[in-house]
Amino acid sequence: MEKILTQNWSLKDSHTLAVYESTGGYQSLSKLFTMKPEEVTEEVKKSGLRGRGGAGFPTGMKWSFIPKDDSKPKYLCINADESEPGTFKDRYILELNPHQLIEGAIGCAYAIGAKTVYCYIRGEFMFPYDRLQQAVDEAYAGGYLGKNIKGSGVDVDFYLHKGAGAYICGEETALLESLEGKRGYPRIKPPFPAVMGLFGCPTVINNVETIAAVPYIVNKGSAAYRQYGTEKSPGTKLFCVSGHVKKPGNYEVPLGYPLKKLIEEDCGGMRNGKALKAVIPGGSSVPVLTAAEAMEVNLDYEALAAKGTMLGSGGVIVMDESVCMVKSLLNLAHFYAHESCGQCSPCREGTGWSYKILKRFHDGEGSVKDLDLLLEIADNMAGKTVCVLSDALAMPIVSHINKFRAEFEEHVKLGKCPLE
């Protein structure tokens, strides 16, 4: 399989303009500027590229929502606020191939009529920030950014903006609020960002991995991109595998790739000869899979949805038989309770109370009734808030309890964790 996102990662100084140009970097621009902007959007639509940040919304469709007759400035905001536990793919793109992101951003900006690109980057990403800023400076010096790019008459400016460490700012409208200098509260939608986004202007917000796939699609066409993946989930995807495997890391594979093959072959199998117990396939917020489910599912949007979970960000967290599922859920509850922005009561109260109940449960002071209480709280959190942060805990609560209820009940019976 031809690597679309990781082809340069093993090269010395892969982050530099010289290496990027030597491997064909920025070649898509000569073709891009011969196309009409709507033709670029149509090509991305035909490619079937879907947002890689978690929601999986069709990228070309999102670009097409930008109104053509609006005289306001248009903006592209790149979401580099990668904070989902278990996810570390965008960081590698920023560190190892930042020029591919810049090239993709120019393609998107041209398609939607934007002259300004903002990249909102996680505040803790000091090294990726420096790498990207270096690449931006090189791109300006090389004539790939700024006024009249390579004599095309196209202007694109690229700005980096550091976040301040709040997970909620990875939500697209909270990101916009933060970028405008306000508290990172998610906005009520509609209006959607395509109509009223940054500074009240039409805005496209795309994830780093999504934008990094654009140069390949412009260069080689949608049909080439569609040769990988499935009919409804075309292309390749980065999966960042962590947990109890021999070779954790980032793997670029075609969508539809068997999760069993990813774990057993690409990642070298389970560590220390222990058995697989569970897998969270798309970052911490998606429902957990049992070992049996994980061994028969493929990694694409439709196959994972059929198993009651989601592709999400592609953060694959592998857990062996030594993992306590109560503690696993307790860790998630602690994270989401800490990161709730507090704007919506079901999220603010639900995540906090879920954490307290699970803490009590893990300490051997819970009861079987607590399990039903947790499910009731989750039901009152899911789909009842401005953004999906509360859903991000509600879904793991439901899946952990329903799939591993016997283990939860064993905690009650023994008055302690059976694995300790």
Side-chain angles (χ1 to χ4, degrees):
M1 184 198 80
E2 183 182 9
K3 300 291 185 184
I4 293 173
L5 300 163
T6 60
Q7 72 278 13
N8 288 357
W9 285 15
S10 61
L11 300 178
K12 186 176 184 296
D13 296 327
S14 62
H15 61 287
T16 62
L17 177 59
V19 171
Y20 191 59
E21 286 180 321
S22 72
T23 55
Y26 288 111
Q27 285 186 358
S28 74
L29 299 189
S30 56
K31 181 179 178 183
L32 179 80
F33 296 140
T34 65
M35 301 169 73
K36 295 177 180 175
E38 56 269 28
E39 291 175 338
V40 179
T41 298
E42 191 59 30
E43 198 64 26
V44 173
K45 262 190 191 176
K46 285 161 58 179
S47 75
L49 174 65
R50 295 167 67 167
R52 303 300 196 221
F57 192 82
T59 303
M61 182 76 73
K62 180 181 272 192
W63 295 6
S64 71
F65 290 157
I66 295 293
K68 308 290 185 297
D69 55 354
D70 195 321
S71 60
K72 293 179 180 175
K74 281 86 175 176
Y75 294 107
L76 166 62
C77 291
I78 300 172
N79 188 345
D81 193 43
E82 185 176 58
S83 309
E84 178 85 352
T87 309
F88 47 90
K89 60 186 178 61
D90 294 342
R91 177 163 66 90
Y92 276 68
I93 294 173
L94 296 169
E95 291 179 5
L96 298 175
N97 205 1
H99 281 286
Q100 187 167 340
L101 175 67
I102 296 169
E103 186 178 1
I106 296 168
C108 176
Y110 177 72
I112 65 172
K115 295 182 183 299
T116 306
V117 177
Y118 289 100
C119 183
Y120 188 97
I121 189 166
R122 181 176 171 180
E124 294 91 337
F125 278 8
M126 300 301 290
F127 183 58
Y129 177 90
D130 290 342
R131 276 282 170 91
L132 182 57
Q133 185 61 63
Q134 178 187 339
V136 168
D137 293 342
E138 284 185 320
Y140 270 106
Y144 295 113
L145 286 173
K147 301 292 183 188
N148 192 25
I149 296 172
K150 295 296 182 184
S152 65
V154 175
D155 306 336
V156 176
D157 284 310
F158 194 112
Y159 301 99
L160 276 68
H161 182 94
K162 279 184 190 171
Y167 170 81
I168 192 60
C169 290
E171 197 277 338
E172 61 177 16
T173 59
L175 182 154
L176 295 178
E177 289 287 295
S178 177
L179 201 51
E180 292 178 2
K182 305 170 190 168
R183 184 171 182 169
Y185 272 168
R187 299 176 181 173
I188 294 173
K189 293 180 279 188
F192 290 95
V195 177
M196 188 175 289
L198 187 65
F199 307 124
C201 298
T203 303
V204 161
I205 306 165
N206 273 144
N207 164 265
V208 169
E209 185 185 350
T210 313
I211 292 294
V214 171
Y216 182 92
I217 295 168
V218 173
N219 248 338
K220 302 199 175 183
S222 56
Y225 189 72
R226 277 190 166 276
Q227 68 183 303
Y228 306 113
T230 69
E231 174 63 27
K232 293 184 178 179
S233 296
T236 66
K237 171 90 185 79
L238 283 172
F239 289 95
C240 20
V241 186
S242 61
H244 299 123
V245 291
K246 291 178 182 173
K247 295 188 294 181
N250 270 304
Y251 295 89
E252 182 182 5
V253 297
L255 285 165
Y257 199 75
L259 178 53
K260 179 179 181 181
K261 189 175 181 183
L262 181 68
I263 293 173
E264 295 187 349
E265 297 182 21
D266 298 271
C267 297
M270 299 300 292
R271 235 171 33 196
N272 301 324
K274 292 189 175 177
L276 176 68
K277 183 173 187 177
V279 178
I280 297 174
S284 63
S285 60
V286 309
V288 67
L289 295 171
T290 64
E293 291 171 330
M295 288 296 97
E296 61 185 22
V297 75
N298 291 337
L299 293 166
D300 60 71
Y301 295 98
E302 293 71 33
L304 286 162
K307 289 290 183 187
T309 187
M310 301 162 66
L311 185 73
S313 62
V316 179
I317 304 170
V318 181
M319 293 176 271
D320 71 19
E321 58 189 324
S322 69
V323 173
C324 168
M325 298 310 288
V326 175
K327 193 167 186 178
S328 164
L329 185 56
L330 173 64
N331 286 337
L332 296 179
H334 183 246
F335 174 79
Y336 288 107
H338 179 74
E339 294 294 345
S340 172
C341 75
Q343 181 177 203
C344 305
S345 299
C347 180
R348 181 185 64 243
E349 301 300 323
T351 54
W353 280 107
S354 296
Y355 170 67
K356 289 176 183 175
I357 293 168
L358 283 162
K359 180 73 168 58
R360 186 170 74 215
F361 212 93
H362 185 260
D363 291 343
E365 298 169 358
S367 71
V368 174
K369 289 181 179 178
D370 284 337
L371 299 179
D372 295 328
L373 178 58
L374 281 166
L375 293 173
E376 185 180 344
I377 291 172
D379 184 55
N380 282 297
M381 292 164 63
K384 298 177 177 66
T385 50
V386 172
C387 79
V388 296
L389 191 143
S390 63
D391 298 66
L393 178 58
M395 291 188 289
I397 287 174
V398 173
S399 61
H400 271 70
I401 293 177
N402 287 343
K403 295 180 180 180
F404 298 94
R405 189 174 182 108
E407 188 171 326
F408 280 79
E409 292 179 348
E410 189 74 0
H411 278 71
V412 176
K413 182 180 174 183
L414 299 176
K416 65 174 187 175
C417 176
L419 296 173
E420 292 179 351

